[in-house]
């Protein structure tokens, strides 16, 4: 590991970790959870390794500067009133200093605290400490990684390279997820010669260890460490052969009719309201076996349904892209890949079709740029990690290039390729998601049960089709480590230790107002996004509704993901008004509470107006012939539903347009 920190910065990091995760004397503590702190767990060393893995040098620089500031007596005097470096302070003073950052009036200080808190807690909770276990896991009754299935699911066949290579084909597809996988499968099945370039690895079930830290590092974009530039929003996206379809929740909603009409009006394209688009949805649903046969609710979803029905609110079954997904087959771990092959990801469907038809799949391959000659795409230049572990230059020559590397990296690829468009990178939506947690008298074990089987649209249309969807999600330790609000080390450990009796109601916002993807001089994508006041108002109503659902389901305590959490006990007089008042006093924007983005959309939108869109009706870019966009970046606005099926329908449409044109 390179020395990314100086000795003084390393000392500050150790002080931060030991303050957030101290050894606390609690009796009884049979699991040893409270007595096991960051020092014993060597948490600071793992955090430094995570910092070294950050892809953007600017992110590493910011963290070094933050640690230097906390190590400066003069800075601490100005900001915290203490003339001492953080390591030189006593325990109470350290905690008070970090609390001052956590609850500062300055968003930059809050963001700095949240970055360190997330890194420290993820490093502590998401890897086993001894004998494959962890005292926090034992305290919650969490089993950790499960035994491997007797029958393994093999990885896809890929092309291994050990030297600089040039490949010729009809079409090269950059990205292998919901967009790229579909295009590759359909073009290859139609007899076209196809090469697929995927940035991430090619996992089989044996690689899906279910150790959260390792899976986040290997299956997610930038090791699941990607953030907005302000630090207000972590961004999770798949980065492996199959992309997000390998690690997502299998939720397979169609695009709502109202949204299709809105997209048609905004884009000026007949596509979205047309019969052809409906046919694309039908083909995708058939290939993915989308349905509601395997939707037995686990405890989380049963509580959501119980609460909604008690309130008289909308609740319904979620269609899913699974086959033979038997209850009890470790489904709650499926965000780290399905080891049984029941999830119909593109790796199990369209990419497998492509491989059988002769497509060449190249994993661990970074596409640098699209080559263009006289306004027409001619291929892609990339760097691939070869079978010898060394980087090699890969040149792919093709008359058709499909950009499908996600709403963060597709605009960056196009910018690096010299594509000129005023709309490129604009219009980014992130579906910011947060949650309310409830503690129940009975065991919930929120890491178990189907990924998502129930939802409520009670609050989905608060204003012209914008609002918040209520869903659940499996909760292991990474989400609490990253997302739980902080008020003290003891309270944080107490909240995490009750994980076995906890459930959440997630608030998935359909965001109206957009951010953007900028591209650095080095060609890296950087995400600029802040929640608008309009969208924050819908989050507020979503949190209120989630609290009502949990209370109606029987929760004895409810808390938000604010820092510090809004915390109430249902049944006490005025509890709901008090909860909303606490949420309001903390706020909903700029690192006041935890959000996460699972869905990125809209940064290279389709449209008829060249000034407001990047590509036209067929997905072909306005600026470069033969270059197509076929992923979530093509969305004119946010979808308001989990976007996988819509991305696939757009990709199906684009693939058929390519075939019709050639």
């Amino acid at each position: 590991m390179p020395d990314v920190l100086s000795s003084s910065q390393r000392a500050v990091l150790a002080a931060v970790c030991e303050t957030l995760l101290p050894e606390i004397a609690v009796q009884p503590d049979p699991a040893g959870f409270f007595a096991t702190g960051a020092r014993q767990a060597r948490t600071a060393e793992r955090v430094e390794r995570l910092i070294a893995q950050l892809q953007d040098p600017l992110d590493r620089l910011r963290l070094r500067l933050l640690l230097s500031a906390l190590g400066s007596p003069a800075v601490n005097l100005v900001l915290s009133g203490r003339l001492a470096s953080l390591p030189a302070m006593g325990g109470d003073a350290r905690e008070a200093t970090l609390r001052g950052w956590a609850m500062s009036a300055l968003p930059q200080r809050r963001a700095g605290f949240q970055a360190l808190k997330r890194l420290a807690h993820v490093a502590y909770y998401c890897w086993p400490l001894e004998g494959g276990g962890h005292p926090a896991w034992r305290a919650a009754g969490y089993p950790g990684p499960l035994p491997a299935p007797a029958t393994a699911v093999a990885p896809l066949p890929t092309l291994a390279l050990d030297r600089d290579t040039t490949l010729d084909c009809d079409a090269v597809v950059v990205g292998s997820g919901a967009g790229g996988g579909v295009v590759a499968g359909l073009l290859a099945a139609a007899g076209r010669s196809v090469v697929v370039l995927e940035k991430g690895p090619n996992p089989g079930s044996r690689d899906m260890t279910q150790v959260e830290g390792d899976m986040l590092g290997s299956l997610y974009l930038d090791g699941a460490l990607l953030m907005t530039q302000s630090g207000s929003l972590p961004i999770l996206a798949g980065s492996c052969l199959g992309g997000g379809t390998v690690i997502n929740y299998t939720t397979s909603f169609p695009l709502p009719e109202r949204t299709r009409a809105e997209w048609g009006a905004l884009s000026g394209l007949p596509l979205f309201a047309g019969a052809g688009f409906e046919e694309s949805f039908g083909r995708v649903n058939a290939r993915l076996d989308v349905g509601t046969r395997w939707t037995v609710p686990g405890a989380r979803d049963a509580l959501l349904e119980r609460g909604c029905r008690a309130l008289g609110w909308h609740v319904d079954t979620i269609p899913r892209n699974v086959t033979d997904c038997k209850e009890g087959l470790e489904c709650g771990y499926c965000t780290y890949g399905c080891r049984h092959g029941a999830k119909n990801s593109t790796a199990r469907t369209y990419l497998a079709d492509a491989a059988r038809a002769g497509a060449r799949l190249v994993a661990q391959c970074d596409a640098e740029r699209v080559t263009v000659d006289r306004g027409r795409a001619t291929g892609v230049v990339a760097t691939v990690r070869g079978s010898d572990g060394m980087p090699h230059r890969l040149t792919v020559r093709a008359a058709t290039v499909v950009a499908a590397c996600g709403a963060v990296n597709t605009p960056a690829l196009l910018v690096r390729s010299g594509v000129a468009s005023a709309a490129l990178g604009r219009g980014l939506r992130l579906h910011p998601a947060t949650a309310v947690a409830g503690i129940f008298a009975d065991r919930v074990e929120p890491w178990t049960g189907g990924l998502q089987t129930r939802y409520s649209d009670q609050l989905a249309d608060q204003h012209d089709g914008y609002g918040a969807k209520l869903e659940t999600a499996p909760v292991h330790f990474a989400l609490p480590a990253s997302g739980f609000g902080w008020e003290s080390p003891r309270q944080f450990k107490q909240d995490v230790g009750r994980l076995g009796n906890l459930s959440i109601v997630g608030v998935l916002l359909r965001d109206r107002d957009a951010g953007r993807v900028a591209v650095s001089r080095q060609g890296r994508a950087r995400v600029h996004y802040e929640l608008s006041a309009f969208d924050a108002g819908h989050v507020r109503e979503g949190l209120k509704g989630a609290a009502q659902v949990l209370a109606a389901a029987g929760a004895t305590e409810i808390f938000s993901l604010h820092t510090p959490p809004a915390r109430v006990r249902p049944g006490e007089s005025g509890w709901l008004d008090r909860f909303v008042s606490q949420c309001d006093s903390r706020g909903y924007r700029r690192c006041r509470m935890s959000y996460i983005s699972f869905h990125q959309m809209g940064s290279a939108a389709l449209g008829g107006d060249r000034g407001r869109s990047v590509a036209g009706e067929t997905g072909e870019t306005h600026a470069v012939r033969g270059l197509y966009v076929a992923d979530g970046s093509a969305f004119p606005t946010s979808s308001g539903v989990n976007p996988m099926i819509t991305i696939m329908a757009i990709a199906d449409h684009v693939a058929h347009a390519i075939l019709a044109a050639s």
Side-chain angles (χ1 to χ4, degrees):
M1 180 186 71
D3 288 333
V4 295
L5 302 180
S6 67
S7 59
S8 60
Q9 291 166 343
R10 195 170 291 122
V12 173
L13 178 59
V16 169
C17 292
E18 291 164 20
T19 304
L20 292 173
L21 293 155
E23 299 171 5
I24 301 174
V26 172
Q27 295 297 334
D29 183 18
F33 170 35
F34 279 84
T36 304
R39 182 179 301 178
Q40 181 180 345
R42 304 174 74 92
T43 300
E45 295 178 20
R46 192 176 293 280
V47 172
E48 187 170 358
R49 290 197 291 272
L50 291 175
I51 293 172
Q53 293 167 22
L54 290 168
Q55 297 295 300
D56 194 334
L58 181 59
D59 292 335
R60 296 195 294 272
L61 174 62
R62 286 169 174 159
L63 283 167
R64 289 197 298 267
L65 292 174
L66 173 59
L67 293 171
S68 293
L70 287 167
S72 167
V75 171
N76 285 333
L77 177 63
V78 172
L79 295 180
S80 306
R82 296 172 178 85
L83 184 60
S85 69
L86 193 73
M89 296 178 191
D92 290 344
R94 287 182 185 179
E95 184 177 329
T97 297
L98 292 182
R99 182 173 289 105
W101 282 72
M103 302 175 192
S104 171
L106 298 175
Q108 295 86 349
R109 292 184 70 196
R110 298 196 300 271
F113 170 83
Q114 292 295 336
L116 292 175
K117 171 243 176 191
R118 276 190 294 266
L119 286 169
H121 286 142
V122 167
Y124 176 82
Y125 286 106
C126 295
W127 280 269
L129 294 186
E130 77 291 324
H134 194 296
W137 303 355
R138 290 194 296 271
Y142 175 69
L146 301 177
T151 303
V153 177
L156 288 164
T158 55
L159 181 65
L161 302 175
D162 58 7
R163 62 179 62 88
D164 291 353
T165 302
T166 298
L167 301 175
D168 291 294
C169 60
D170 297 321
V172 56
V173 181
V174 185
S176 65
V182 171
V183 173
L186 294 176
L187 295 185
R192 302 300 191 269
S193 171
V194 176
V195 171
V196 178
L197 308 181
E198 168 54 49
K199 181 178 181 180
N202 176 29
S205 62
R206 298 295 192 208
D207 304 302
M208 298 169 183
T209 66
Q210 298 182 347
V211 175
E212 286 194 275
D214 291 340
M215 294 296 90
L216 290 168
S218 63
L219 301 183
Y220 286 73
L221 181 63
D222 290 0
L225 297 172
L226 182 64
M227 299 283 298
T228 58
Q229 288 297 291
S230 68
S232 62
L233 191 63
I235 296 171
L236 289 186
S239 185
C240 59
L241 208 57
T245 68
V246 171
I247 49 86
N248 70 12
Y249 293 154
T250 71
T251 300
S252 300
F253 288 121
L255 186 66
E257 289 296 327
R258 180 170 182 167
T259 307
R260 288 179 61 173
E262 178 186 348
W263 285 12
L266 286 173
S267 69
L269 300 178
L271 161 65
F272 297 112
F277 198 37
E278 188 64 35
E279 292 171 3
S280 290
F281 276 107
R283 286 190 290 265
V284 166
N285 285 332
R287 183 64 188 93
L288 267 60
D289 199 17
V290 171
T292 57
R293 284 164 291 174
W294 293 285
T295 52
V296 175
R300 285 177 290 104
D301 285 294
L303 289 170
L304 172 67
E305 184 169 22
R306 181 198 303 172
C308 287
R309 293 199 184 283
L311 295 169
W313 286 12
H314 169 269
V315 65
D316 206 348
T317 301
I318 293 177
R320 304 174 62 216
N321 63 312
V322 295
T323 302
D324 292 331
C325 182
K326 304 292 195 304
E327 184 182 7
L329 282 184
E330 63 186 46
C331 291
Y333 289 77
C334 213
T335 49
Y336 305 119
C338 177
R339 304 193 300 185
H340 297 268
K343 179 188 286 188
N344 292 324
S345 66
T346 57
R348 296 286 294 161
T349 55
Y350 288 96
L351 286 174
D353 298 343
R356 283 191 292 269
R360 288 163 286 179
L361 314 180
V362 184
Q364 295 185 317
C365 179
D366 273 315
E368 298 173 8
R369 60 186 174 87
V370 178
T371 55
V372 179
D373 182 30
R374 289 175 287 185
R376 174 171 286 279
T378 58
V380 173
V381 174
T383 300
V384 60
R385 186 189 301 176
S387 54
D388 55 2
M390 300 298 292
H392 299 289
R393 177 55 55 99
L394 174 63
T395 302
V396 184
R397 297 185 298 211
T400 299
V401 178
V402 180
C405 34
V408 173
N409 281 323
T410 283
L413 173 65
L414 298 186
V415 168
R416 293 195 301 268
S417 306
V419 174
S421 170
L424 191 54
R426 302 284 177 177
L428 178 72
R429 273 74 168 196
L430 294 179
H431 272 181
T434 186
V436 178
I439 303 297
F440 290 82
D442 297 327
R443 294 280 292 176
V444 178
E445 298 187 348
W447 53 85
T448 62
L451 287 163
Q452 288 182 326
T453 66
R454 298 294 185 273
Y455 75 102
S456 173
D457 270 347
Q458 185 70 27
L459 304 172
D461 187 1
Q462 298 176 42
H463 187 276
D464 290 339
Y466 287 85
K469 217 173 191 71
L470 302 182
E471 301 174 340
T472 73
V475 183
H476 296 254
F477 275 82
L479 284 177
S482 176
F484 274 14
W486 186 88
E487 55 193 282
S488 72
R490 181 181 293 269
Q491 183 64 60
F492 194 91
K493 277 197 166 185
Q494 180 178 331
D495 288 340
V496 173
R498 298 183 292 174
L499 190 61
N501 289 70
L502 177 144
S503 191
I504 65 167
V505 172
V507 178
L508 179 68
L509 176 73
R510 185 186 182 207
D511 46 340
R512 183 193 69 178
D513 298 323
R516 63 188 177 91
V517 177
V519 182
S520 71
R521 291 181 179 178
Q522 294 75 33
R524 279 205 59 82
R526 289 177 175 159
V527 176
H528 297 265
Y529 183 98
E530 296 298 337
L531 198 68
S532 71
F534 174 87
D535 289 325
H538 295 160
V539 171
R540 179 184 189 270
E541 293 305 308
L543 293 179
K544 179 180 178 182
Q548 291 173 271
V549 170
L550 287 166
T556 59
E557 181 183 334
I558 288 171
F559 59 91
S560 71
L561 305 190
H562 286 89
T563 291
R567 198 182 296 270
V568 295
R569 293 186 178 277
E572 294 181 351
S573 177
W575 72 268
L576 183 59
D577 289 341
R578 190 162 60 255
F579 178 78
V580 174
S581 177
Q582 289 181 33
C583 290
D584 288 346
S585 69
R586 288 152 175 77
Y588 304 93
R589 304 170 65 196
R590 299 181 183 274
C591 300
R592 292 290 189 185
M593 66 179 292
S594 294
Y595 293 94
I596 194 166
S597 169
F598 297 100
H599 311 146
Q600 301 85 44
M601 303 154 283
S603 54
L606 304 187
D609 185 339
R610 289 172 174 258
R612 298 195 304 163
S613 63
V614 173
E617 175 86 4
T618 64
E620 188 175 35
T621 61
H622 298 308
V624 177
R625 300 187 305 280
L627 173 58
Y628 293 79
V629 173
D631 59 17
S633 64
F635 288 16
T637 71
S638 56
S639 59
V641 298
N642 303 57
M644 176 181 66
I645 297 299
T646 303
I647 294 172
M648 289 179 144
I650 287 175
D652 176 276
H653 166 79
V654 170
H656 281 87
I658 292 170
L659 291 171
S662 58

